[in-house]
Amino acid sequence: MCSLALFPPPLPSGQTTLCESNNELLSGTASEQPQKQESSPPSLYFPRESLKLHSRTESSSKAAFLDHSETLWMRSAAAWRDGGCTGLLDEITNSNTEVPKWLSVGSGFSLALLRWFSSFHGSMFPHLTLSSEDMLAEFSQVLNWSDCVVRAFAWHPHTDKFALALLDDSIKIYNPKSATTPTLKHRLQRSVAAVQWKPLCASALAVACQNCLLVWHVDPCSLSTRPSSGCAQVLSHPGHSPVTSIAWSPSGSLLLSASPMDTAMMVWDVASESCVPLQRVGGGGVTFLSWSPDGSHVLASTPSALFRVWETRMWTCERWPCVKGRCQSGCWSPDGSRLLFAVQGEAVIYAMTFSDKPAGVPTCASTGPQAAAAVADLSESTFNTPEGDITVGGEIQSLSWDPTGERLAVLLKGDPQAADRPSIIAIFKTRTNPIFELLPCGFVQGESDAEPRLMQFHPNFQHGALLTVCWSNGRITHVPFYFLSAGVPHFGLGGSPSLPRPQEGAADFANQSLFTELVS
């Protein structure tokens, strides 16, 4: 298996990745961007200083009010609401002058027992000791989520509009064909970890928040820039927070949600605002969800060194243990037959193949893979550049596969403490039929002061693939990959965009195979 050393070297300072043409990544300055089409998505910039951050958290808001006397029952009700069983027992224990002695002593003993059990459980699942904010940052697909200006991004599956969540917990919806930019705000819309549009629907947007799920219904024909909070459905379940991942079924009939604090994966019927928990022993929670494009399987990661792949006909699952750490990210091939995933602590991409049900096998039987195969080794490689040596590779933050199945984007974490080990996006050319292949393409880089934090492919780009990248400085750019898809018949090249002449030197890497099923 080959390494990242097969890739072209990273770009020199001051150069950014513009696009791909003729199997080569073109670079230049921002002013050298190819001429955009009329309906091209806008490149946006959100300076951190322009965002009005919350000056006071909910936990510290009590300081704004004068003290006043409350009865024990009022304080107990507030403690139950804010801290659950632990908060209630703590309030009763500390109110020993207002309750019978036996009740105070019994509450103190129960509180000590509960804390001992919690510490024991926390030693088995260390993530349970994290705060909600730290938990969201730990399990988010966004690199450095807690300090990222753009915390979530989602293309609409059928149109050119997209939604993004900002550091100030507001959500903006952009459509290049509309002059109106709706801004969504809600009192429960805090610490947004993910957003996703409902398939086969123009208006529904699901939002994963700290304490609940919100499903906004925004009329695309409305001229309002501030839809009312009454346009949002609130979906919540006891113990199911914070919500770190959501996934719509391809038909839009069901919505999945996951929380590291809850061992159950929730299956929501949004219309009736009801849910069915799918619970399995082991794992300590659910952190990441990905529904296959054909709707047949769901990847469900846990905080522990195992993940599950559910089949959605009978909702049974296969349990897959990992060697080093948890499943960090995963993505499906367009036909849903192949799953690529990355494991925390490893610089390797693994693949699993799901075959069709053989003749004579009952519909409830599993036809999943017997083992996962390593298809790419992304261990650190050092490149010599005019500015000095740069080391690229290491742990993987997230994976994204374009809808044609011909480009794979891998966000590498890098080392924030080392200037010569930046986070970077590696692009692979992929082929799924008749065999699975990976070929090196190149690195996507932005401005010299910006590192990638979040990425997603456009679901319906007509000229190949379009990768949207959210950068650490608050900028959002779109990198087009111009190619003729192998899965679509083409009659001539009249629809291919006109581009500058490619640079020399990159062609040497175009035909080097990184992984092929026939030889691995």
Side-chain angles (χ1 to χ4, degrees):
M1 192 184 308
C2 300
S3 69
L4 288 176
L6 284 175
F7 275 61
L11 299 176
S13 179
Q15 296 285 300
T16 62
T17 305
L18 301 180
C19 64
E20 177 194 341
S21 176
N22 296 329
N23 288 329
E24 302 172 19
L25 287 180
L26 307 182
S27 63
T29 61
S31 60
E32 298 175 0
Q33 285 279 8
Q35 185 67 33
K36 292 186 176 182
Q37 300 178 15
E38 184 178 349
S39 60
S40 295
S43 295
L44 305 174
Y45 178 49
F46 299 95
R48 185 181 300 270
E49 300 77 19
S50 67
L51 301 178
K52 296 180 180 179
L53 304 182
H54 304 295
S55 58
R56 181 186 290 117
T57 61
E58 290 186 13
S59 61
S60 64
S61 61
K62 293 181 180 179
F65 300 91
L66 296 175
D67 292 333
H68 64 282
S69 59
E70 291 181 333
T71 65
L72 173 63
W73 301 113
M74 293 174 63
R75 297 199 309 271
S76 298
W80 172 264
R81 183 185 66 248
D82 296 337
C85 183
T86 302
L88 176 62
L89 292 175
D90 188 51
E91 180 64 37
I92 296 176
T93 302
N94 294 331
S95 304
N96 52 3
T97 60
E98 303 177 62
V99 298
K101 184 176 181 180
W102 63 268
L103 182 57
S104 176
V105 173
S107 297
F109 177 78
S110 300
L111 182 61
L113 187 63
L114 183 61
R115 285 175 173 168
W116 175 86
F117 178 77
S118 297
S119 64
F120 175 73
H121 196 222
S123 64
M124 297 178 60
F125 303 106
H127 72 281
L128 297 178
T129 62
L130 299 175
S131 65
S132 294
E133 288 278 335
D134 292 339
M135 200 174 297
L136 289 167
E138 175 69 19
F139 299 115
S140 173
Q141 292 293 291
V142 182
L143 184 59
N144 195 17
W145 174 89
S146 58
D147 193 48
C148 194
V149 176
V150 181
R151 288 185 160 181
F153 181 94
W155 279 105
H156 192 280
H158 312 297
T159 67
D160 280 336
K161 69 180 178 180
F162 57 85
L164 55 92
L166 299 174
L167 185 61
D168 62 356
D169 291 325
S170 65
I171 294 177
K172 295 183 180 294
I173 299 175
Y174 288 88
N175 187 339
K177 299 179 181 178
S178 173
T180 303
T181 303
T183 300
L184 311 180
K185 292 186 177 181
H186 195 283
R187 63 182 180 85
L188 297 177
Q189 192 168 282
R190 295 295 183 93
S191 301
V192 176
V195 295
Q196 193 172 71
W197 291 97
K198 179 180 179 180
L200 308 180
C201 178
S203 60
L205 176 70
V207 182
C209 305
Q210 181 170 332
N211 296 314
C212 65
L213 279 170
L214 294 177
V215 180
W216 285 92
H217 298 272
V218 184
D219 185 357
C221 299
S222 173
L223 298 178
S224 173
T225 58
R226 278 294 303 273
S228 166
S229 59
C231 297
Q233 289 179 270
V234 180
L235 307 177
S236 63
H237 191 274
H240 193 71
S241 66
V243 181
T244 57
S245 185
I246 52 179
W248 286 100
S249 64
S251 65
S253 59
L254 298 175
L255 174 64
L256 300 179
S257 64
S259 171
M261 295 291 289
D262 192 354
T263 56
M265 176 178 70
M266 295 296 168
V267 183
W268 294 91
D269 182 347
V270 176
S272 63
E273 297 186 357
S274 61
C275 67
V276 175
L278 295 179
Q279 194 159 17
R280 291 293 185 272
V281 176
V286 185
T287 59
F288 173 71
L289 299 170
S290 180
W291 209 313
S292 65
D294 65 346
S296 62
H297 293 89
V298 173
L299 167 67
S301 303
T302 74
S304 302
L306 68 91
F307 64 92
R308 296 181 176 90
V309 178
W310 292 80
E311 60 85 20
T312 58
R313 288 176 298 182
M314 303 297 294
W315 287 107
T316 59
C317 68
E318 293 181 348
R319 174 183 170 129
W320 289 85
C322 303
V323 177
K324 286 190 176 181
R326 69 173 187 270
C327 176
Q328 170 64 27
S329 183
C331 59
W332 295 89
S333 61
D335 61 357
S337 65
R338 183 172 280 103
L339 170 66
L340 301 182
F341 65 95
V343 175
Q344 185 187 39
E346 296 187 33
V348 177
I349 299 176
Y350 293 95
M352 293 195 301
T353 302
F354 295 82
S355 59
D356 295 332
K357 181 179 68 67
V361 177
T363 58
C364 61
S366 172
T367 58
Q370 300 300 314
V375 297
D377 182 2
L378 305 184
S379 299
E380 291 185 345
S381 296
T382 302
F383 296 88
N384 295 319
T385 67
E387 289 82 13
D389 290 347
I390 294 180
T391 301
V392 176
E395 282 195 57
I396 298 167
Q397 176 69 24
S398 62
L399 302 169
S400 183
W401 210 341
D402 90 285
T404 68
E406 298 192 38
R407 294 296 182 272
L408 173 70
V410 182
L411 176 54
L412 300 170
K413 289 184 178 181
D415 185 355
Q417 306 301 326
D420 61 340
R421 285 176 167 81
S423 60
I424 199 169
I425 297 176
I427 302 295
F428 295 88
K429 303 170 192 174
T430 60
R431 182 183 303 160
T432 56
N433 288 309
I435 58 175
F436 178 59
E437 282 189 309
L438 280 176
L439 302 170
C441 183
F443 298 111
V444 170
Q445 296 172 253
E447 300 172 352
S448 57
D449 61 338
E451 291 189 351
R453 293 288 182 258
L454 172 62
M455 61 184 184
Q456 188 180 84
F457 277 105
H458 190 294
N460 293 297
F461 189 62
Q462 299 299 315
H463 304 291
L466 181 71
L467 180 67
T468 299
V469 183
C470 304
W471 302 91
S472 58
N473 60 356
R475 196 173 297 278
I476 299 176
T477 61
H478 311 277
V479 182
F481 298 82
Y482 296 111
F483 58 86
L484 299 178
S485 176
V488 179
H490 298 278
F491 305 95
L493 300 176
S496 181
S498 176
L499 293 169
R501 183 176 177 83
Q503 298 173 344
E504 296 181 359
D508 297 337
F509 304 93
N511 298 316
Q512 297 191 38
S513 177
L514 185 65
F515 172 83
T516 305
E517 282 181 329
L518 293 180
V519 298
S520 297

